[in-house]
Amino acid sequence: MAELFERTTLERMIINTHSILNRLDFIAGLRVLIFDTAAKKTTTERKQLHKILEREAWIFGDEWTLTASDETLRRVLTKHLTLLGHEVAYDDIMPESQAEGKLLIPDLVLSGSASSYSRSREYLVVELKRPSVKLGKDELDQLESYAIAITDDEQFSQPDISWDFWLIGNGYNDYVERKLATPGNPHGCALIAPKFRIHVRSWAEVISDAEHRHRYVERGLNSTSDKESGINYLNRFHQNQLPDVIKGTQESA
């Protein structure tokens, strides 16, 4: 114990342990949102999943961080947003949130960690679909059109910027399955273009990957997160974005 305290503090150990336990509870809660029969029928992507995952972006991997980036990136993304069927104006989705002090962005846009001395930049754009939607040709074609428009935009048509686009849903049809089986494509990749890659991921895969990254720590802490702890976490931190079927009372939250 003395050797351990020479390297860190009790406060840091408590904070990090609490953070990991919160992550495990969130994973359990996300399972309910996505797979519970009653919850998934009423969970929407824009007003609920999007808002929740803005604050839980680690679920996609710790190498990515949620970014509002700069004015140029946000305007380019918004300019091509109608290709995804989002009929919204720039001023409607980009204002500074006075309550939370952060920018609201049209999609989940994450940036890869890069050295401050490097000009290269990696972006991950996540397009969420509600659990009740089965991904098909329309969803895949929409995202491809969006990806082409962004990467061909003169402001981002640069060799040192790479783009990955994730289309996430609860399942997909035979058309998407054939695209994913294209010879030479990595697992889960539907399209490889010179400037971008499009991946199709199921919610089950996203959740399973997150669980795998935290499994060792969970075992070390001898802690188990279940449906109840997951719902309690969602009510504590995301109550306003929850469907009524799993929303607790204000007092219990």
Side-chain angles (χ1 to χ4, degrees):
M1 184 68 73
E3 291 179 357
L4 183 61
F5 285 145
E6 288 179 0
R7 303 180 64 179
T8 187
T9 65
L10 178 60
E11 180 184 14
R12 293 309 308 172
M13 285 191 286
I14 293 173
I15 290 173
N16 285 311
T17 300
H18 188 250
S19 175
I20 292 169
L21 292 175
N22 277 345
R23 284 189 175 196
L24 295 171
D25 284 343
F26 174 71
I27 292 171
L30 185 60
R31 274 193 176 278
V32 177
L33 273 180
I34 301 300
F35 301 120
D36 180 83
T37 303
K40 73 178 183 180
K41 289 180 179 179
T42 54
T43 299
T44 64
E45 66 266 23
R46 302 300 296 173
K47 292 183 178 180
Q48 293 171 322
L49 284 175
H50 181 141
K51 298 301 181 184
I52 290 172
L53 292 172
E54 270 186 345
R55 300 170 61 184
E56 308 280 358
W58 58 267
I59 197 79
F60 303 111
D62 287 304
E63 69 271 27
W64 300 104
T65 55
L66 187 68
T67 178
S69 192
D70 55 24
E71 190 78 1
T72 302
L73 172 60
R74 289 185 282 115
R75 285 193 178 276
V76 170
L77 292 172
T78 308
K79 182 169 69 173
H80 304 298
L81 201 60
T82 53
L83 292 173
L84 290 176
H86 302 320
E87 304 267 342
V88 288
Y90 176 86
D91 291 337
D92 292 335
I93 59 178
M94 291 305 187
E96 183 84 14
S97 170
Q98 298 300 320
E100 298 180 6
K102 62 183 179 182
L103 289 167
L104 304 180
I105 54 179
D107 287 283
L108 291 176
V109 183
L110 302 99
S111 61
S113 57
S115 167
S116 57
Y117 301 102
S118 173
R119 292 184 57 196
S120 62
R121 195 71 177 167
E122 298 177 348
Y123 288 108
L124 172 63
V125 178
V126 180
E127 176 66 9
L128 306 169
K129 294 300 179 183
R130 70 185 68 189
S132 59
V133 171
K134 193 169 188 177
L135 304 178
K137 186 177 187 301
D138 289 344
E139 289 78 18
L140 201 57
D141 287 350
Q142 277 185 327
L143 189 58
E144 182 180 351
S145 298
Y146 186 47
I148 291 172
I150 290 173
T151 55
D152 281 350
D153 192 286
E154 62 276 10
Q155 297 176 88
F156 280 100
S157 184
Q158 302 174 30
D160 54 357
I161 295 180
S162 64
W163 294 86
D164 281 283
F165 294 81
W166 286 10
L167 179 62
I168 301 179
N170 233 6
Y172 42 79
N173 62 18
D174 292 341
Y175 175 84
V176 176
E177 190 169 352
R178 288 194 298 271
K179 284 289 187 179
L180 295 176
T182 301
N185 281 9
H187 174 72
C189 187
L191 176 64
I192 300 177
K195 298 179 182 179
F196 64 87
R197 295 174 295 273
I198 292 181
H199 308 262
V200 177
R201 307 204 65 193
S202 68
W203 283 111
E205 287 178 302
V206 173
I207 292 173
S208 178
D209 285 352
E211 286 178 328
H212 179 75
R213 296 196 307 270
H214 294 83
R215 191 165 295 150
Y216 173 77
V217 180
E218 182 180 23
R219 289 172 181 168
L221 294 173
N222 194 26
S223 172
T224 302
S225 294
D226 54 19
K227 179 178 180 179
E228 183 180 358
S229 65
I231 292 177
N232 286 340
Y233 176 87
L234 291 177
N235 274 284
R236 289 202 312 272
F237 295 99
H238 305 288
Q239 190 184 46
N240 291 337
Q241 284 76 46
L242 296 181
D244 291 338
V245 292
I246 64 171
K247 183 181 292 186
T249 64
Q250 187 64 40
E251 288 76 16
S252 66

